[in-house]
Amino acid sequence: MYLANTGRPDAPPRLLGARRRVPATVIALGAVSLVTDVSSEMVTAVLPLYLVLGLGLSPLQFGFLDGMFNGATAFVRLLGGRLADRGGRHKRVAGAGYLLSALSRLGLLLAGGATAGIAASLAADRLGKGVRTAPRDALISLSGPPESLGRAFGVHRAMDTTGALLGPLAAFAVLWATADAYDAVFAVSFCTGLLGVLLLVLYVPSAASAASAASAASARPVRPTPLRHAALRDPAFRRILYAASLLGAATIGDSFLYLLLQRSLDLPPALFPLLPLGAAAGYLLLAVPAGRIADRVGRRLPFLAGHAALLGAYAVLLLPVAWPAVAAVPALLAVFYASTDGVLMALAGPVLPAHRRAGGLAVLQTGQALARLLGAAGFGAAWTFWGQGPALGAAALTLAGALAAAWRILPAAAPALDTPEAP
């Protein structure tokens, strides 16, 4: 008699005592993400300041730009996932995305202050991120057993966050050394992004996804009928998608939170790139423990608890005393990301068949991105027309309602892909 070892993706692992090494593919992809995040976070750390304070964009314009490119290019995730699933071309598709994002920094450098050039560069960056994310996460998901995916994603996200921690520091150092020259930040970011592409080419195995898929297939038999179903036809996956999208629509984005902090405290513009450091440091410390906890207690509860922490960050910013927010908001953001980012991928991954893993994860990521388009644009409009206090209060109420709804929608335990076979 064959007993499926997959189990439910939200259930505690059956081999609690087994200590597994993190697969080499995860470590290699983590190194690529680390270097790439240094590049991207250098730009992200200064972009709100550059656009809002430097070029004079209103919060509505900034929210529209940020949300539009995140949402409009979300459909590229579907294309990236589909291409990656065809013939196991995960590395090739992910590499194209990393290269496009690196080239977008060169576009910002060449654009100067031209709005059209900045918009095109932002679009290229989001396109690159959209193309690479699903193939990369599919590689991680296929690289090890389902019961330890939380830990694998936690290790990758910890390495990724190390880059997010170093990026703002690098941006701050460049701005300090060049007397607030944003072009220097874009130039250094471009060179660092190219290094990430080189690491991917040299150290991520070309056959990693195919070998992982073959390993997964040998570990559990494939039943033809379930595996022919599209991702959206699976009830458990649909519930995960609905819950994640609903919560994404109630997420206003880190850039707005840091702008609120900067305005509440009247911080000097040169210190703005340092605001994300607390959240990045906390995420770095919490990513692996949060993944391991999710593997043991189930991934639904940590995912919801992470959004409750985000709600706490909104509440702190609504307090009349602003200075406690300097420590509390980054700490709560760290809990939010550690409990949701990799945990969601670990929750959804085992629901999907191996040969459609990248495409299914792309559907989930696209749903989140489109929802965040609504959230960013909506909050930007509310801030512009109502003021920052009423807008943030409305965002907090929206997130509280979304969290209550997601508690009911998200399955407590998703069904297994494979069922035991009779002898």
Side-chain angles (χ1 to χ4, degrees):
M1 180 176 67
Y2 173 80
L3 296 177
N5 194 33
T6 305
R8 301 187 306 269
D10 190 51
R14 299 180 184 178
L15 301 175
L16 292 177
R19 295 181 61 86
R20 298 179 182 271
R21 296 180 61 184
V22 177
T25 300
V26 175
I27 300 298
L29 287 169
V32 173
S33 293
L34 188 156
V35 174
T36 301
D37 250 35
V38 172
S39 170
S40 63
E41 291 301 322
M42 286 183 68
V43 175
T44 301
V46 302
L47 196 60
L49 195 68
Y50 178 59
L51 295 178
V52 176
L53 300 183
L55 300 183
L57 271 65
S58 71
L60 174 60
Q61 290 172 315
F62 172 70
F64 181 76
L65 271 178
D66 187 62
M68 181 181 68
F69 289 123
N70 275 298
T73 61
F75 294 103
V76 181
R77 298 174 189 260
L78 300 176
L79 177 61
R82 186 176 181 84
L83 290 175
D85 282 335
R86 289 183 175 180
R89 294 180 291 185
H90 298 75
K91 176 183 175 179
R92 193 177 307 173
V93 175
Y98 280 112
L99 180 60
L100 185 58
S101 290
L103 293 176
S104 73
R105 323 286 189 237
L106 183 60
L108 285 171
L109 181 62
L110 299 176
T115 304
I118 292 171
S121 299
L122 291 177
D125 177 53
R126 300 304 192 270
L127 281 168
K129 185 174 183 180
V131 166
R132 72 177 184 254
T133 302
R136 181 204 65 198
D137 284 348
L139 278 171
I140 298 171
S141 178
L142 292 167
S143 66
E147 64 268 15
S148 62
L149 283 183
R151 182 168 179 253
F153 275 103
V155 169
H156 174 269
R157 293 321 195 242
M159 297 180 72
D160 182 88
T161 307
T162 301
L165 183 63
L166 295 175
L169 283 174
F172 175 77
V174 172
L175 287 177
W176 178 80
T178 59
D180 297 340
Y182 292 102
D183 286 352
V185 175
F186 300 150
V188 174
S189 173
F190 167 64
C191 296
T192 309
L194 288 183
L195 176 59
V197 177
L198 182 62
L199 288 176
L200 178 76
V201 172
L202 294 178
Y203 294 106
V204 175
S206 299
S209 60
S212 299
S215 176
S218 64
R220 54 185 180 176
V222 177
R223 289 179 175 268
T225 302
L227 292 182
R228 288 200 184 102
H229 292 334
L232 290 176
R233 297 181 63 183
D234 184 279
F237 180 79
R238 285 203 309 270
R239 285 173 172 260
I240 295 170
L241 174 62
Y242 296 158
S245 299
L246 182 63
L247 290 167
T251 302
I252 65 175
D254 295 358
S255 296
F256 276 123
L257 292 179
Y258 295 134
L259 279 174
L260 288 168
L261 266 181
Q262 190 270 336
R263 293 195 172 194
S264 297
L265 302 176
D266 196 24
L267 293 176
L271 295 180
F272 187 85
L274 298 180
L275 291 178
L277 293 182
Y283 187 14
L284 174 62
L285 295 174
L286 296 175
V288 176
R292 297 182 69 176
I293 290 172
D295 284 339
R296 292 179 178 176
V297 306
R299 292 149 192 166
R300 173 179 178 264
L301 184 59
F303 180 69
L304 295 173
H307 284 87
L310 180 63
L311 179 60
Y314 294 0
V316 169
L317 286 170
L318 287 169
L319 294 176
V321 181
W323 280 103
V326 174
V329 169
L332 290 167
L333 280 175
V335 174
F336 165 64
Y337 281 114
S339 303
T340 59
D341 187 14
V343 171
L344 177 61
M345 296 298 102
L347 173 63
V351 174
L352 299 163
H355 72 283
R356 288 182 178 171
R357 187 73 51 91
L361 293 181
V363 169
L364 179 58
Q365 292 161 0
T366 298
Q368 274 194 312
L370 292 176
R372 286 173 178 171
L373 163 64
L374 298 177
F379 181 76
W383 186 351
T384 299
F385 295 115
W386 300 344
Q388 65 184 48
L392 187 58
L397 290 175
T398 302
L399 179 56
L403 190 57
W407 178 270
R408 300 293 302 272
I409 295 172
L410 198 63
L417 279 177
D418 301 316
T419 55
E421 278 190 0

